Amino acid sequence: MIAARILIVEDDRIVARDIQHQLSRMGHVVVGMSASGEDAVRLACSQQPDLVLMDIRLEGEMDGIEAARRIRDAQRIPIVFLTAYANDEVVHRASLTEPFGYLLKPFEEPQMRTVIQMALYKHASDTRLRLSERRYAATLASIRDGVILSNRDGRVDFMNRAAETMTGWTAAEAAGQPLSAVFVAVDEESLEPLEDFSAVVLRSGDFAPPERQSRLLPRNGAESAGIVVEERCSAIIDDRGELVGSILVFRDLTQRRRIAEALRTAQADLAHIGRLTMMGELAAAVAHEVNQPLMAIVTNAGTCLQHLSQPQPDLDKTRVVVERIVRDAQRAGDVVRSIRALARRTPADPGWVDISALVADTLELVRAELRRARVAVETDLQAEPPWVHGDRVQLQQLVLNLVMNAIEAMSAEDWPERRLRIVTGSDEGWFRVRVEDSGPGLGEADVDAIFRALYTTKPDGLGMGLSISRSIVELHGGRLTATPGASGGSVFEFVLPVSPGGK
């Protein structure tokens, strides 16, 4: 049982007292008693009771029905009428105030108990319903999509603020108007009138399209001023499965299309920038890789000029120097060809390569650099290794980059120990090459970043050597990694797949 605060409005004081005693026995609290309609309205406003028991005939000029109407309009407090008069006219007038029950005098306490409980339950239910409707209305009002509810006759019952803005109609103006008059849709391209989408849904049911795009014409506006919208419509079904209306939801696509166009433009610009970046990286790679043979050419050309400037030049020595110039020029051409192939992600001249012999040849090429840098070299090269299938020039460039990277890491004038160790070996179908140096080593950030193109920790570096090296290894199906050395320095290791049966 629901205990309530109740206001008694009864012109018979004895009856009012009797009702008060009955309510007290039921556990209710009487917050006031009145014999006139005017006083009842005042008490209802000041006491805010949960329920009013209202006699129809009261003292003064205002009867109970008029008092009930005023209380309902101001406070929405539930009213139960107490009356001995129940003719058609009285019942009709009382019904207009939406009462929560009637008690015909004389009545017994069980009757009053039942009517009061039903009235309180109904009021609580109505309160929850009104709260739900407010939440629903607030939700629809706050969303950016336009929403229009129509009844079964296709006339507008409700529209939110977004719908008002897009259609040019206010909710008050649109109420009761045909939806086709409020929401005027035409074909986006041909501007031909389109059938009201809610009518299509109500007629076609499940066979109606889930959505469509159209141009919404503003109220009293030109066709060119319309906006492109996406419409979605659903039928509203009651508890008996009958169509009672529809809900139309529509969204302005203008901003979305602007964003899509901006995205397409940005993607095109990004692709262009990507191509320019690739060209820049390729140019940097060529500059980086060709620098070594070009420097060798310059050095040997200077030596050649020195020999020729002698009174009696030693032509045999000069010939050897010129042969080195030719060889370095050919190597520069091979490097350019190799990088072009690397950009195409294909080996330039694939064949079978002895990696241990290639390491020894590469060390011979940089013998002068190792001597000038005072770097001690240790090697542990596997004899008669399995053969690796790939481009010899690219693989030699890979080893050369790692060796030169180690030499440069130990180039500081006061560096105490300058040691380079290269180890080769094979296991489980892979050939491994390990290049260790005694330089300053790698930080955690460097380990993640050193293989990125154009990243460098050297003041005059291009940041391409290790990026090209990893590309070469990956092109040959292998892996290149870098780790700090156990006792300082850096360790670079790459593995390449080997032929199962040798060459």
Side-chain angles (χ1 to χ4, degrees):
M1 174 178 166
I2 301 176
R5 301 170 67 252
I6 299 176
L7 171 64
I8 301 172
V9 184
E10 170 63 56
D11 63 344
D12 189 325
R13 269 60 174 182
I14 296 175
V15 174
R17 290 287 182 184
D18 183 52
I19 294 173
Q20 180 184 22
H21 293 153
Q22 292 183 57
L23 293 176
S24 297
R25 288 196 296 270
M26 295 177 196
H28 299 300
V29 176
V30 176
V31 296
M33 293 189 296
S34 173
S36 69
E38 294 83 358
D39 191 45
V41 173
R42 181 186 59 78
L43 284 172
C45 292
S46 62
Q47 297 297 322
Q48 293 290 306
D50 299 320
L51 180 70
V52 177
L53 296 179
M54 178 77 72
D55 191 5
I56 291 180
R57 291 198 173 186
L58 298 173
E59 296 176 356
E61 297 181 358
M62 184 185 299
D63 67 2
I65 295 176
E66 177 61 20
R69 185 188 65 78
R70 296 191 183 187
I71 292 172
R72 183 205 63 183
D73 293 344
Q75 308 294 325
R76 300 200 68 86
I77 298 171
I79 307 290
V80 172
F81 284 116
L82 311 175
T83 183
Y85 307 95
N87 58 47
D88 291 343
E89 180 185 356
V90 171
V91 171
H92 174 70
R93 285 187 61 222
S95 297
L96 296 178
T97 66
E98 301 177 358
F100 281 71
Y102 289 89
L103 276 172
L104 293 178
K105 299 177 183 178
F107 51 80
E108 300 294 330
E109 184 174 319
Q111 292 176 286
M112 184 166 63
R113 183 192 305 271
T114 301
V115 170
I116 289 175
Q117 290 302 308
M118 292 182 66
L120 293 173
Y121 274 115
K122 184 175 183 298
H123 178 64
S125 177
D126 286 354
T127 300
R128 289 192 297 270
L129 178 60
R130 285 195 301 273
L131 178 59
S132 176
E133 289 176 345
R134 290 193 188 99
R135 289 173 177 168
Y136 151 80
T139 301
L140 291 182
S142 64
I143 64 177
R144 296 182 179 180
D145 290 354
V147 179
I148 301 179
L149 272 66
S150 302
N151 59 25
R152 71 178 74 209
D153 298 324
R155 295 186 176 273
V156 175
D157 279 342
F158 169 87
M159 62 192 302
N160 67 350
R161 284 195 292 267
E164 290 180 326
T165 300
M166 284 188 270
T167 62
W169 289 75
T170 66
E173 293 171 331
Q177 296 289 332
L179 178 60
S180 57
V182 175
F183 189 92
V184 181
V186 298
D187 184 85
E188 181 182 356
E189 301 297 334
S190 68
L191 301 182
E192 290 294 325
L194 297 176
E195 184 181 6
D196 171 14
F197 200 19
S198 66
V200 174
V201 170
L202 292 176
R203 184 182 68 253
S204 306
D206 293 339
F207 298 100
E211 60 186 38
R212 76 177 183 188
Q213 290 186 8
S214 61
R215 182 176 292 276
L216 170 62
L217 301 184
R219 187 180 185 184
N220 301 325
E223 292 181 348
S224 59
I227 59 173
V228 177
V229 297
E230 180 184 74
E231 300 179 60
R232 299 184 303 280
C233 188
S234 300
I236 301 175
I237 312 297
D238 67 8
D239 292 340
R240 293 176 293 182
E242 295 182 0
L243 292 171
V244 294
S246 64
I247 177 169
L248 176 67
V249 181
F250 51 100
R251 174 179 301 173
D252 185 352
L253 296 182
T254 305
Q255 186 66 18
R256 183 192 297 182
R257 291 192 172 186
R258 287 175 183 167
I259 293 173
E261 183 61 31
L263 179 60
R264 283 192 294 269
T265 302
Q267 288 173 336
D269 292 344
L270 186 61
H272 179 64
I273 292 172
R275 289 191 293 271
L276 292 178
T277 302
M278 182 180 296
M279 292 172 61
E281 290 182 1
L282 184 60
V286 171
H288 181 278
E289 300 302 305
V290 174
N291 183 61
Q292 293 168 0
L294 287 180
M295 291 300 296
I297 290 173
V298 171
T299 301
N300 288 323
T303 303
C304 183
L305 290 174
Q306 289 178 358
H307 287 326
L308 292 175
S309 64
Q310 299 296 324
Q312 293 182 342
D314 188 336
L315 296 181
D316 290 335
K317 289 184 178 180
T318 303
R319 182 180 297 106
V320 171
V321 175
V322 171
E323 288 174 352
R324 288 205 298 265
I325 292 175
V326 172
R327 183 190 63 195
D328 288 331
Q330 290 175 340
R331 185 156 69 92
D334 289 341
V335 168
V336 173
R337 176 178 53 83
S338 173
I339 291 176
R340 289 177 58 191
L342 194 62
R344 294 194 299 268
R345 305 296 296 171
T346 57
D349 187 15
W352 295 101
V353 182
D354 181 344
I355 298 297
S356 290
L358 184 142
V359 169
D361 292 344
T362 304
L363 289 174
E364 184 64 24
L365 282 175
V366 296
R367 181 178 56 184
E369 284 82 354
L370 290 168
R371 186 170 57 252
R372 281 196 296 270
R374 304 190 307 277
V375 175
V377 180
E378 301 175 12
T379 59
D380 183 2
L381 307 181
Q382 177 177 319
E384 299 181 0
W387 293 82
V388 172
H389 191 262
D391 185 306
R392 177 181 177 83
V393 174
Q394 290 180 350
L395 293 174
Q396 186 175 54
Q397 199 65 34
L398 162 65
V399 176
L400 183 62
N401 283 343
L402 297 181
V403 171
M404 293 302 298
N405 190 68
I407 293 174
E408 292 170 0
M410 300 178 288
S411 61
E413 288 292 335
D414 56 349
W415 199 253
E417 181 183 14
R418 305 184 183 195
R419 177 176 49 80
L420 173 66
R421 175 176 170 80
I422 303 179
V423 180
T424 64
S426 58
D427 63 271
E428 299 181 356
W430 296 92
F431 193 82
R432 298 181 179 273
V433 178
R434 184 180 178 91
V435 180
E436 305 176 18
D437 65 65
S438 59
L442 297 170
E444 293 184 5
D446 293 335
V447 170
D448 296 330
I450 55 176
F451 293 109
R452 291 204 305 262
L454 306 180
Y455 176 86
T456 181
T457 58
K458 305 168 188 174
D460 56 349
L462 289 176
M464 294 303 301
L466 292 177
S467 174
I468 292 172
S469 298
R470 173 168 278 187
S471 297
I472 292 173
V473 172
E474 292 176 350
L475 182 62
H476 287 77
R479 300 185 305 276
L480 172 62
T481 58
T483 56
S487 56
S490 306
V491 178
F492 289 85
E493 182 178 85
F494 66 87
V495 295
L496 299 171
V498 298
S499 173
K503 183 175 179 180

